[in-house]
Each structure stands twice: as structure tokens, then as C-alpha cells.
Amino acid sequence: MVGALFAASMFGSGVAGAAIATALNSPASIALAASNSPSPAATTAPSGTPPNGGKFVPNEDPTHEAGESAAREAQENAGQRPTVP
């Protein structure tokens, strides 16, 4: 008797699990999930992305330029991110 009750409960939980899995993987639920996710165009850039898109823009302020070395100015003029002080 106990064995039959155990077998019935195992069978019932298997059927219930299969029903839940089928419901979660049905075309309707997949379509609903897809309609609730944002499109790539609707997403925003990460907060760490610079506004200029990562392109180096030198500081050409005369006060700043007065303290630069010739090597740094040459790198800036070449469009490179300076690696020297």
C-alpha cells in the first residue's frame, strides 16, 4: 500500500512538472517574454562610455598647454592619447 502511494505521488509530481515546463516553454509565453524585452535601439549606452565615443580630444586651453611637454603635445597633435607627462 505504501509503495503504491509513493509511486502515485512520484507519477503525479512528474506529470505536474511536465505541465509546468510545457507552459513555460510554450510559443505564447516565449512571445510574451520577447515582447517585454527592450529592443537594442531602446537600450542606452553604459554609464562608463564617454560622450565622445572614446575618441581622444586634447585640452587646448592655453593654461593647460603651458605645462605640457613637447612630447605630450606631439602625441596630442597626432591624435593619440598621451602616454607622457
Side-chain angles (χ1 to χ4, degrees):
M1 177 74 171
V2 174
L5 185 60
F6 179 73
S9 66
M10 291 301 290
F11 178 74
S13 65
V15 170
I20 291 170
T22 301
L24 292 177
N25 290 317
S26 70
S29 65
I30 293 171
L32 179 63
S35 67
N36 288 335
S37 60
S39 66
T43 59
T44 58
S47 61
T49 303
N52 60 8
K55 181 178 180 263
F56 174 71
V57 179
N59 183 350
E60 296 296 332
D61 182 75
T63 306
H64 174 80
E65 292 291 315
E68 285 184 350
S69 67
R72 182 182 180 99
E73 184 61 27
Q75 285 181 325
E76 288 181 5
N77 290 341
Q80 301 171 348
R81 188 168 306 277
T83 58
V84 293

